[in-house]
Amino acid sequence: MKAVVYEKYGPPEVLRVAEVEKPVPKDDEVLIRIRATAATVGDCNVRGFTFVPPGFKFIARLMFGLNKPKKPVIGVVFAGEVEETGRAVTLFKKGDAVYGIDGLKMGAYAQYKCLSEKGAVAAKPKNATFEEAAAIPFGALTAWSFLKEKVGVHAGQKVLVNGASGGVGNYAVQIAKYLGAEVTGVCSTGSMDFVRSLGADHVLDHTAPGFTLGNEEFDIVLNTVAAEPSFARYAGSLKPNGLYLAVAGGLKEMLQSLLPSMGGGRKVIAVFSSEKKESLEALTRLVDEGKLRPTIDRVFPLDEIVAAHRHVETAHKKGCVVISVQ
């Protein structure tokens, strides 16, 4: 089968398409014929540590391989069809359209991938294409993990999303609105209309001269921008007992999250994204009900993976960069 492989860390050019052995499912696994995947900031981090938050680069090298990559095929999200099932599989059958995420084993930049039926794989939303489905898991699950599962955003709260047009931020805007919050999105000039289209009540242009957040105070600040993962930067914009959600938090934010508060009852929250089947199924329902919209910036074919990663690294995309594996 065809897959994108790499033997060393570096810029997008270290990626190349090659022939590798097609995987065989174990008894509890499904073999998925991948139709679409995505180029995420997580993939860029595994390849070249482009967006790794401060203090995490060495830890990331230990996780993925100190001197060279442990796994030759990256990619964590997928959408496709079940081609074969292991003898013990009961949840899926051949031909089922599915989508999901596998952050630990990766391997989604390929024509085929095996995954446990109990993993983060679910029926594809009925009204989404394979490309649209591939645009959901990475960003939407991250936003859902923070906003719904960790802090329980509810009606009457004010939520600020920094990086509101990005792969995580665009879903954070939509999910916060779905949960009933008043949402303010921060993005660049060219993305303001896009963020408004997601349902943001207010949109701020961080590139405007003299940009500030003003005197507004928020119950929750969710920051997705790795270049500025600082609680101190946003503490003045939080209400007493407000929460700073460090989606792009570094080592400092991880340590701060262990403290009961950071002054005035304000607290830093840092969690890893959920990869639970139940969370993915909840997002599927929202998409099928028209309450969550998959967002695609651009679609690249598999053999243009280098160009796709270059585009992600511009940090100016609106939504997700999808890779077609048709």
Side-chain angles (χ1 to χ4, degrees):
M1 70 171 185
K2 289 184 177 180
V4 174
V5 301
Y6 75 138
E7 292 86 26
K8 61 181 180 180
Y9 300 119
E13 287 74 16
V14 301
L15 302 173
R16 63 183 178 87
V17 177
E19 288 288 335
V20 302
E21 187 175 354
K22 181 180 175 181
V24 177
K26 298 176 182 177
D27 286 352
D28 66 338
E29 290 183 334
V30 291
L31 174 67
I32 298 168
R33 169 62 169 100
I34 296 177
R35 299 296 182 181
T37 179
T40 70
V41 294
D43 298 330
C44 291
N45 284 341
V46 174
R47 187 215 74 235
F49 310 101
T50 309
F51 301 105
V52 174
F56 271 176
K57 184 165 289 189
F58 180 70
I59 296 174
R61 291 290 286 259
L62 287 177
M63 290 175 59
F64 300 112
L66 188 58
N67 297 315
K68 64 178 183 179
K70 292 180 181 178
K71 298 181 183 295
V73 181
I74 58 175
V76 297
V77 301
F78 57 86
E81 300 151 327
V82 174
E83 179 156 309
E84 186 180 343
T85 62
R87 292 182 299 175
V89 170
T90 60
L91 299 178
F92 301 99
K93 65 182 185 302
K94 183 177 179 179
D96 284 349
V98 297
Y99 79 130
I101 185 169
D102 190 357
L104 292 177
K105 293 185 178 179
M106 300 187 286
Y109 283 6
Q111 291 178 306
Y112 294 92
K113 173 178 172 55
C114 289
L115 184 76
S116 169
E117 68 166 345
K118 296 180 180 178
V121 55
K124 179 180 71 65
K126 295 180 177 61
N127 59 358
T129 65
F130 287 118
E131 287 78 10
E132 289 171 334
I136 298 169
F138 182 82
L141 276 177
T142 300
W144 185 259
S145 298
F146 276 91
L147 295 172
K148 173 63 175 179
E149 297 178 342
K150 186 63 179 180
V151 304
V153 170
H154 53 80
Q157 291 186 308
K158 291 185 176 181
V159 175
L160 175 76
V161 178
N162 187 39
S165 63
V168 176
N170 88 88
Y171 288 111
V173 170
Q174 296 186 68
I175 289 170
K177 281 298 298 179
Y178 164 74
L179 295 173
E182 179 182 333
V183 181
T184 297
V186 180
C187 60
S188 62
T189 307
S191 298
M192 295 180 73
D193 287 341
F194 170 67
V195 174
R196 290 190 186 97
S197 75
L198 301 173
D201 299 284
H202 316 284
V203 183
L204 304 177
D205 179 4
H206 72 83
T207 66
F211 166 75
T212 69
L213 295 177
N215 297 320
E216 187 74 39
E217 290 188 332
F218 301 90
D219 298 282
I220 293 168
V221 170
L222 183 146
N223 180 33
T224 72
V225 182
E228 47 184 56
S230 171
F231 167 75
R233 178 182 175 91
Y234 297 96
S237 298
L238 280 171
K239 295 180 180 180
N241 299 314
L243 301 175
Y244 175 76
L245 309 186
V247 174
L251 184 59
K252 181 173 68 175
E253 284 70 34
M254 290 293 292
L255 295 175
Q256 289 174 336
S257 70
L258 301 177
L259 301 175
S261 71
M262 291 292 293
R266 301 173 180 89
K267 181 167 176 55
V268 176
I269 303 292
V271 298
F272 290 101
S273 174
S274 168
E275 290 191 7
K276 296 183 294 186
K277 183 187 294 287
E278 296 79 5
S279 302
L280 192 63
E281 290 172 340
L283 295 176
T284 302
R285 290 191 291 270
L286 292 185
V287 174
D288 281 338
E289 293 169 2
K291 296 173 182 176
L292 186 70
R293 179 179 55 146
T295 57
I296 296 177
D297 180 276
R298 288 180 63 179
V299 178
F300 291 84
L302 188 67
D303 59 6
E304 292 184 17
I305 190 66
V306 172
H309 270 236
R310 284 180 188 153
H311 185 57
V312 173
E313 290 191 342
T314 65
H316 294 306
K317 62 186 179 66
K318 301 172 185 176
C320 186
V321 173
V322 171
I323 309 300
S324 174
V325 197
Q326 300 290 352

